[in-house]
Each structure stands twice: as structure tokens, then as C-alpha cells.
């Protein structure tokens, strides 16, 4: 509470220091890449272009195999605080968030998610004593699996006193899928100038930027119970933050059924719209239409004192997923997303030019130096 | 330090209360089972017998797909203490332990592990500042992948301050594999009277029973630096505990190449030799030969005041993996394991009779009531 409310708050100040993590990450990526040769003894090989993408892809002959493990992050801490403030459990939404972290990444490579495994590491056996919370977690997990058409295979529910903080839970999901037919593989080789950029609506913060949100809540006199819109007292900051992440796999599956093959996809998570620069190709992404900013994200940007550039480089700002499709497929892609209940916009186009995102309506652009993910 | 050293110490006293976890686990298992029908829309189906087994199996047509996520548990806490006491990092072994938790479970269903994903959730960005430790984790992870012939696909390295304790790390691994040809599927349908039981040597405690080990260390005047054998001052309790878990997939792959099809397999982890009762079939497992007890496990049983029954029902006691094979294949199975550098014994046989394990050399038996895993 020592930071005055009008002081801008950056992501690093919110407690995540990427510089400390990155050297390990680079060493791990290098070591991981060197193990690809192990697949040869089984008659298989990796899809090298999937290294650096959101899911790892192996060619197993009749189809590709994609797999991933993803962490929820700190969103469960917001649910814990809100449970104290409201007396209800928010873990059904938290379950969906956790699955979304894995599924929304897995589908970027063109995979159909098939199996989800649950990783629920609690700070002690006592965590499971709160039956309402535990049942909400189970019910939310089951429902999200059904929305995504995946089987919940099983998982782990360890009690990790001494590693996980007492009263907390570390949630993650692993997901395995296949890319079938193999022509659905989407690692960017088809991405090119002339493609349309379709953006799919987010429901709010999803599960990225929560460290910042938690810091902001500390500075607000009413904390998580602060209304995010003047006069709208029933939508609090906490409740708005806890809107569950949109599950995008129904859209990608519907596109496949309709014969539309995305040339590339990006799950807009950490790093906000800089994620549009994910693919290494030298291309310009020109955005002519921005989706309406989700109220909770507008509120956060205001409270953090972010200008448009910082807001769009940190948060999803209303767009949770980007699909790059042939221009001729753009309108139909929007219609298919809407038929799945997810708002969508033909938001821009891919052009020849230096690697950058130009968001024309707000006069912001990001260059290659703004995103180093690989 | 309030418990006198001669007071027996049970697993529950060591801090894990299964009664609190189990209701959630049962609700989760029920909900998970109900999602199996989701696979039909993709033209696939689960292998129902894999529910309750150590890995989940889906029939995807040309082969079966197996997947799993597994947690290391609290072994990293021993490595942290030993790093303070010895000035070296033990995380290369910890990496192998984590991968072993996933791989050794995945292979029980007959799968060839193909891809491992890393889940390294640290208590804060600072965890990654200790370069020796971070490099040991990376190097150990890579080496274990190479031993198992798997590709390290990628993973997550979140900094979870507020969820994971400061200075600690929550380690898990997910693993995906295939069962190919489909005849390698091993979920117990071939298990029957007349089968031989082959036990594979463990290297020590592996990664189960660490809560008990940590409690025992608290009661020892020299703690983790206590020699586990009189006169052998250079093998301390801590170092012996940190012997990395044996990776058994080279054995199961070599068996497949030699045309030996295990009728069933059990990874001997928590619940010790009661894991031999894992399969629901009504059969008696008669053990005539017990492997030599690993010194660290003998030391633990002595220090905890366990009789043989309690020791064998909690710890692996020298046997880390059980293979049930046709009697005619038993000796060759032992030879193949030894050729992989893993000691092995034809330890017993499966017989018609009530569901129990009879360990003749030590006069101990376990019945169905002693293990409720499903």
C-alpha cells in the first residue's frame, strides 16, 4: 500500500522479472531441442517449426501428435480473496481458465485436443476439506472438457505442504491432441502477405496480467469490490477479473469442418498484442479495426496509468485469439466464430514489410525488438 | 523435534492425510470418467480398462495414445537441505526423479514414451538466479530424456510467488506416448494364474515416502548427514535419499523388441508392495524371493520403528517395478533387464485364489482391504 494510486505500475513492478527467468529458459530450450533426435529410434521425427510455437508437434506417421503443459498462474489467488469477500467459490471458472491455458495453446498448431490431465497441487490435505470449492473445481473442469470435446484422462492431486503455500493451490493442465489430417498443421509456413487477420473476443483478462491486477487491487480503497464502471455497482473488479477464459477450440474445430485452414494462429496471452509478432517471418501486421476494450481491461489500464502502447503490449484488450486466414475466408471465419457464440472481427491484414504490428486506430506499433519469445 | 527418536512414525503422522484428499479424488474420477464420451465426436474412444490404471489410454485408430501428468512431490525439499549442507546442487537427480514419476507410470500400460513436457513452478523469479542449480536441473532433465528415448517438447517455468513457497520449486512432468502395435496394450486382461512376477531393482526411496524421510531426518542428531551404515561415514542419509529414481522404460522397450509382452505391470511407488494388488482381478500374488533391501530403506524402517509389514506397505524395499510375464518368459525378462543395467529377480508367481500378496520370506501378506486406489 506504499505506492500512491496515481503512480503508473509496470509489469516488472508487479513482481515478474523475466530477466531472471530467461537465461534458464534459453538453456532449457537449447537442451530440449537437442533431444529431438531421440524420436528417430521409434521411427518418428519432430516438426522442427513447432519449436518455439505454443505446442510441440511430432510426426507419428498417420498424423501429427501435439502436446503441452500449461500453468494457470496466480489467478486462483484472486478467487481465494473473492471467496473471502463474497462467500462463494469461484473455482468453477478457475478450472475453465486452467484448461483454456492448455487448450488455447494446443490448437494454435492445428491440433484437435483429445485428452486433458489435471494437475492440482495443494498446500496441504486441508485444501480439499472445503467441499464447495473442491466440487466447483471438479464441476468446472468437467464442463470445460465438454465444451472442448476432450476426455479428462485423470491427473494428480498432491498435497505439497512446504512447497505450495498453505491454503493455496498450484493448478496446471496438460493436453494431448492430434493434427488430422496432417494438412491441418499450422506452424506458419502458409502465413503470408495478403492474409486477413481475424480477432476473436476475449471475456476479460483471461489468465495473464493477474500479478498486475493483484497489485492494483491493493491500491484501490475498496479493493476487489471496487465497481469497474461508475454507476454499475454490481460488477466489481474481482468478479470481472474472474470471468473465465474463453475456450477457442470449438471455433478451430468448426473451421476445420467448414474446410477453412488457418495459415497461422496466435493465442493472445502474456505480452498482449505483441503476440501477433510471434512467428519469425518478416511480415507487417496492419490492424484497421480494434475490438471494443473489455471493461475490466480498460479499468486496469486506467488504474495502472498505462498509455495505449503499454496497455496493448501487456493485456489482450478485448482480443483473446488471432486467426490468420486467406482473405477470401475472412468473413466466413467471423461467421463461424459467431455461430460458436464468440464475437469476432476482420481486424486487419498481413502485408509485406518489416516485422511489426501497426494498430492504426490507436496509433501504436510494435517492432521485433518488442517481443523476444524464442 | 518433539517426537522421541524411538517412537514409531506412521505415514499419516508424516503429514499426508489421504482421507481428506480422497472424497475430492473420487468426485474427480467420476466426473473424468463421464467425459470419455467426448471422444466419439472425433471418431475415437477410450480404453475403459485404463481408467484406474497409471496412465490414460485412447484408441486413435492405428495405435493407442497414452498420456499422464505426474508430480515429483517433496523430494526437492531434501535436495534443498542437502545443498545447504554440502554446497553442491542435487537437481540433476531431482530432474531424473520427476521424469521417472511420469515415464515409469506411462510404460505400465505398454506405451512407448515419446514426449516429455517440463513443469517447473518456482516460488519467485529469484529461484532461477542460482545458475548451478538451474543448470543441474536442465542437464539432468536432458539426460533422463535421452535415457528414455523421449523428446523434451518444452514446458512451463512460471514464477508463482504467493502460491509456491519462496525458495522452493514445484516440479512435475507430463508424458505422451503411443502403444504400437496395439497388441502391446497392457491393462491386465492377459494377467492370470501361472504368470511369473519379475521384480526390478530400485535405487532407493525413489520419490515416494519423502514426507516420512523428512520427518525422520528431523529426529536424527546429525539429520541428513547421518551415516546410514555404521562405519560407512561417506554415505549419508541425505545423499542416499537423493539417489535418482531408476528409469524403467529402457527395459520395457527392450522387452518389446525381444517379443516379450508383459501381461501386467505395476510401478511400485506410494503404498509400497501393496501396489502389487493394483489390478482388480481376484488373484493371489505369491512372492518366494525378495530383493535385497536397499540400505537407505532398511535404515528408514529401523528409524521409523516399522515392522516388516509396515515397511513393505509403505516403501519399495528394493523393488521399484513389477512385471507380470508368462512363466516361460520370466528368466529372459530378468536377463533383458540386467542387460539394461537394472538388477532383476524372478520373485514369485500369480495363483488362483483370493486377492492378496503373500511375501513368504518375511511372513507378510496384504489383502484387498489394504489397498483402495480406484
Amino acid at each position: 500500500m506504499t505506492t500512491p494510486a496515481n503512480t503508473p505500475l509496470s509489469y516488472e513492478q508487479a513482481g515478474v522479472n523475466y530477466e531472471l527467468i530467461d537465461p534458464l529458459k534459453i538453456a532449457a530450450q537449447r537442451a530440449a531441442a537437442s533431444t529431438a533426435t531421440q524420436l528417430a529410434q521409434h521411427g518418428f521425427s519432430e516438426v522442427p517449426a513447432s519449436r518455439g510455437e505454443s505446442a510441440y508437434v511430432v510426426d507419428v506417421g498417420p498424423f501429427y501428435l501435439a502436446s503441452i503443459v500449461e500453468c494457470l498462474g496466480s489467478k486462483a489467488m484472486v478467487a481465494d480473496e473473492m471467496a473471502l469477500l463474497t462467500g462463494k467459490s469461484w473455482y468453477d471458472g478457475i478450472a475453465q481458465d486452467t484448461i483454456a491455458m492448455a487448450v488455447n495453446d494446443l490448437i494454435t498448431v492445428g491440433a484437435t485436443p483429445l485428452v486433458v490431465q489435471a494437475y492440482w497441487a495443494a498446500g496441504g490435505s486441508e485444501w480439499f476439506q472445503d467441499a464447495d470449492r473442491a466440487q466447483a473445481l471438479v464441476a468446472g473442469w468437467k464442463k470445460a472438457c465438454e465444451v472442448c470435446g476432450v476426455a479428462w484422462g485423470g491427473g494428480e492431486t498432491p498435497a505439497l505442504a512446504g512447497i505450495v503455500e498453505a491454503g493455496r493451490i498450484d493448478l496446471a493442465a496438460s493436453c494431448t491432441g492430434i493434427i488430422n489430417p496432417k494438412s491441418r498443421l499450422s506452424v506458419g509456413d502458409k502465413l503470408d502477405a495478403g492474409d486477413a487477420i481475424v480477432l476473436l473476443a476475449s471475456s476479460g483478462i483471461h489468465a495473464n496480467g493477474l500479478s498486475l491486477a493483484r497489485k492494483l487491487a491493493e491500491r484501490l480503497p475498496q479493493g476487489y469490490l471496487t465497481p469497474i464502471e461508475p454507476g454499475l455497482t454490481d460488477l466489481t473488479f474481482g468478479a470481472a477479473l474472474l470471468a473465465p477464459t474463453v475456450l477457442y477450440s470449438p471455433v478451430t474445430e468448426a473451421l476445420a469442418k467448414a474446410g477453412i485452414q488457418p495459415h497461422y494462429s496466435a493465442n493472445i496471452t502474456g505480452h498482449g498484442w505483441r503476440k501477433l509478432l510471434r512467428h519469425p517471418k518478416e511480415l507487417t501486421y496492419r490492424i484497421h479495426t480494434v475490438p471494443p476494450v473489455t471493461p475490466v481491461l480498460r479499468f486496469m489500464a486506467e488504474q495502472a496509468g498505462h498509455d495505449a502502447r503499454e496497455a496493448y503490449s501487456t493485456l489482450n484488450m478485448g482480443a483473446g485469439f488471432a486467426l490468420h486466414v486467406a482473405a477470401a475466408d475472412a468473413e466466413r471465419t467471423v461467421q463461424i466464430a459467431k455461430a460458436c457464440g464468440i464475437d469476432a472481427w476482420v481486424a486487419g491484414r498481413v502485408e509485406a514489410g518489416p516485422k511489426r504490428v501497426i494498430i492504426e486506430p490507436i496509433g501504436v506499433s510494435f517492432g521485433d525488438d518488442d517481443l523476444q519469445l524464442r
Side-chain angles (χ1 to χ4, degrees), chain A residues 204-227:
Chain A
I205 195 171
H206 286 182
N208 289 93
L210 272 302
S211 299
L212 176 62
R214 290 187 296 116
K215 285 276 175 191
L216 290 174
E218 285 176 18
R219 312 202 312 194
L220 293 166
Q222 288 177 265
Y224 287 117
L225 297 183
T226 307

Side-chain angles (χ1 to χ4, degrees), chain A residues 227-244:
Chain A
I228 59 167
E229 304 212 61
L232 256 175
T233 53
D234 55 346
L235 185 58
T236 63
F237 184 40
L241 286 173
L242 289 169

Side-chain angles (χ1 to χ4, degrees), chain A residues 104 107 197-204 206 246-253 255 262 265-268 273 276 289 291-292 294 316-325 330 332-347:
Chain A
N104 290 349
I107 60 175
I197 302 167
V198 173
L199 295 177
L200 306 185
S202 75
S203 60
H206 286 182
V246 177
L247 298 159
Y248 295 111
S249 67
V251 178
T252 50
E253 287 306 296
L255 289 175
S265 305
N267 186 18
I268 302 173
W273 284 41
L276 293 172
T289 302
T294 327
N316 71 58
M317 298 309 277
F321 201 86
L323 288 160
H324 302 76
V325 297
R332 207 151 55 100
T333 298
V334 167
Q335 294 315 315
I336 287 169
K338 286 182 173 172
C340 293
I342 296 172
D343 216 350
W345 303 267
V346 181

Side-chain angles (χ1 to χ4, degrees), chain A residues 192-195 197 282-288 348-356 358 360:
Chain A
D192 212 346
D195 286 347
I197 302 167
E282 189 82 5
L283 288 168
T284 296
Y285 305 85
R286 185 177 300 273
I287 304 293
H288 53 67
R349 59 183 177 275
V350 183
E351 297 178 349
K355 191 174 177 186
R356 57 186 173 162
I358 302 168
E360 290 182 339

Side-chain angles (χ1 to χ4, degrees), chain A residues 112-157:
Chain A
T112 300
L114 293 179
V115 179
V116 160
Q117 303 280 355
Y119 183 75
W120 302 347
S125 317
E126 318 75 57
W127 196 93
F128 303 105
Q129 264 182 313
D130 180 338
D132 284 350
R133 181 172 59 183
Q135 293 301 332
L137 179 60
V138 169
W141 200 274
K142 174 174 181 282
K143 192 175 150 231
C145 286
E146 288 165 353
V147 170
C148 297
V150 302
W152 176 2
E156 277 268 273
T157 54

